[in-house]
Amino acid sequence: MKYLIAVVLLSISMVSCGKKKKEVVQNEQAPVKLKALIIDGTNNHYVWPKTTMMMKDYLEQTAIFTVDVYRMDSVWLGMKYNQNRPESYNSFIETYPLNDKTYHLSNSPIKTSTFKFDFNDYDVIISNLGENSPLWPEQTRKNFEEYMKNGGGLVVIHAANNAWGKWEEYNKMIGLGAWGGRDEKTGPYVYYNEAGELVKDPSEGVCGSHGPEYEFVLTTRAPEHPIMKGIPEKWLHTPDEMYERMRGPFENATILATAFADVEKNAPPWDPNVTGLGQNVPQLMTINYGQGRVFHSTLGHFDYSMECVGFITTLQRGAEWAATGQVTQELPKDFPSVNATSSRTWK
């Protein structure tokens, strides 16, 4: 009889536990993901159709983003800088198309834009545009400025800081820019000198420069910033262009990481009148624009540059910070060291 009672009690307990477990499952809800939008379509780097898809994948790998892509109606691929590259000029746009509509492929930069968009549907906008991107219509620019001032997020990647040098508010958003008609009136050069002092240099001169692609060391300047938390003080980046001599208002801006622009090594061989700056120049930075947040990365010239785990990690963290002001992602175990690069082949 005692055995029968025990079996009955055990059965009741199991049923009860089963009901409780089922209730918990029913009450569980999947976390709401952040909405990200990548804008592309005009870039002076012809690899951009692939790098858009790489960044889309990198953000989705975090499991905290859903990612859409908006491509301009008229497309300019840019230039094939290295003619020794084996792929054809059109290979990337042919391999990585968007299926939502047909795009006109222009042989030269587009001069005007009719772009309209409701940015408020997204937590963060990622720009994979570049030099010679047509200026958005005035109302679209005003809408984007309001989106940012009211708490929107923006991520600027590599050549996206070449765009729109005459758009004053965009220059404020990105802190520092390169080329795009910018000059000393746009703002000073900004760098760290050998003494570790932040310098704003109003000297006349070019805006935007870099040497041939090579590996270079990044130095963390804001180790307590959420994007940089846990990242080594120094780490080696895969071959890339080291942007320097950028100019801008640099208001409400924080330099996250720098690289040393060697006078000889970072001199552009195509311009004998320019040398490397010989200073520690910004490569990663954040900017506060109204209530909005901007993560600005100069890294990412080509697909192999974006395969660097350092690029991937700072993109993922930077996008989350731009969207929310926080970073929840842990540092990956394969992050580069000061002596060795670390890359993940993207397929």
Side-chain angles (χ1 to χ4, degrees):
M1 185 68 177
K2 288 182 179 180
Y3 174 76
L4 179 60
I5 293 173
V7 170
V8 171
L9 290 175
L10 179 61
S11 300
I12 293 172
S13 175
M14 290 176 66
V15 170
S16 177
C17 289
K19 287 182 178 179
K20 185 176 182 181
K21 184 176 182 181
K22 186 176 181 180
E23 289 174 359
V24 170
V25 171
Q26 288 177 338
N27 290 333
E28 286 179 352
Q29 292 183 350
V32 177
K33 292 187 177 182
L34 299 169
K35 295 185 66 177
L37 174 73
I38 301 175
I39 300 178
D40 70 13
T42 297
N43 195 312
N44 42 310
H45 299 67
Y46 74 116
V47 70
W48 62 259
K50 179 179 180 180
T51 58
T52 282
M53 295 307 168
M54 292 174 72
M55 290 192 288
K56 182 177 188 295
D57 185 39
Y58 292 152
L59 294 178
E60 290 174 340
Q61 286 176 18
T62 67
I64 62 176
F65 289 100
T66 60
V67 185
D68 294 334
V69 176
Y70 187 93
R71 184 158 294 166
M72 299 299 178
D73 293 335
S74 294
V75 171
W76 180 57
L77 292 180
M79 295 167 278
K80 186 174 182 179
Y81 292 101
N82 186 347
Q83 293 299 322
N84 293 325
R85 292 278 307 191
E87 69 277 337
S88 68
Y89 176 69
N90 289 347
S91 64
F92 294 114
I93 193 71
E94 292 170 353
T95 305
Y96 303 98
L98 293 185
N99 297 321
D100 58 336
K101 54 185 174 181
T102 302
Y103 300 91
H104 168 67
L105 185 60
S106 175
N107 293 322
S108 59
I110 313 300
K111 299 297 183 182
T112 59
S113 170
T114 58
F115 175 60
K116 298 179 181 179
F117 203 85
D118 186 357
F119 302 101
N120 294 308
D121 290 338
Y122 292 91
D123 299 295
V124 61
I125 309 297
I126 297 94
S127 176
N128 198 23
L129 298 172
E131 189 177 13
N132 291 315
S133 293
L135 188 63
W136 291 346
E138 181 179 4
Q139 188 59 53
T140 305
R141 299 198 304 273
K142 288 182 178 179
N143 291 345
F144 189 65
E145 291 165 12
E146 289 301 310
Y147 162 80
M148 290 300 300
K149 288 177 181 178
N150 292 330
L154 172 64
V155 174
V156 176
I157 298 298
H158 196 60
N161 77 20
N162 299 183
W164 307 324
K166 301 303 182 183
W167 182 3
E168 183 177 353
E169 295 304 309
Y170 183 71
N171 285 332
K172 291 179 181 179
M173 290 180 203
I174 67 175
L176 299 171
W179 297 279
R182 296 175 175 87
D183 56 24
E184 55 271 12
K185 295 179 182 178
T186 309
Y189 299 135
V190 180
Y191 53 81
Y192 278 94
N193 62 20
E194 290 184 2
E197 300 166 326
L198 183 65
V199 177
K200 296 182 179 180
D201 182 354
S203 300
E204 295 183 0
V206 301
C207 178
S209 180
H210 61 76
E213 299 166 70
Y214 60 99
E215 296 178 352
F216 53 83
V217 172
L218 276 85
T219 299
T220 298
R221 297 289 177 173
E224 296 305 313
H225 192 282
I227 297 173
M228 305 302 290
K229 196 78 171 179
I231 288 180
E233 180 185 0
K234 294 181 181 294
W235 53 278
L236 187 62
H237 180 44
T238 54
D240 206 339
E241 292 176 343
M242 184 195 297
Y243 274 10
E244 58 157 287
R245 298 181 189 270
M246 296 181 292
R247 293 183 177 276
F250 199 70
E251 299 170 352
N252 305 311
T254 299
I255 296 175
L256 302 181
T258 60
F260 183 71
D262 185 80
V263 172
E264 295 183 359
K265 197 170 184 179
N266 210 49
W270 48 86
D271 189 350
N273 298 315
V274 178
T275 66
L277 193 59
Q279 303 289 352
N280 299 288
V281 295
Q283 299 298 297
L284 304 175
M285 65 194 94
T286 58
I287 303 93
N288 292 103
Y289 180 82
Q291 297 180 46
R293 292 168 297 273
V294 183
F295 171 64
H296 180 169
S297 173
T298 66
L299 309 179
H301 170 66
F302 219 75
D303 50 4
Y304 44 76
S305 307
M306 287 193 178
E307 290 179 333
C308 175
V309 177
F311 174 86
I312 297 169
T313 302
T314 53
L315 169 69
Q316 292 170 330
R317 288 178 157 207
E320 183 181 5
W321 178 85
T324 68
Q326 301 177 351
V327 174
T328 61
Q329 302 167 63
E330 298 293 331
L331 194 71
K333 294 181 179 179
D334 59 343
F335 195 87
S337 69
V338 67
N339 297 314
T341 62
S342 177
S343 294
R344 299 173 189 162
T345 301
W346 186 83
K347 296 181 180 180

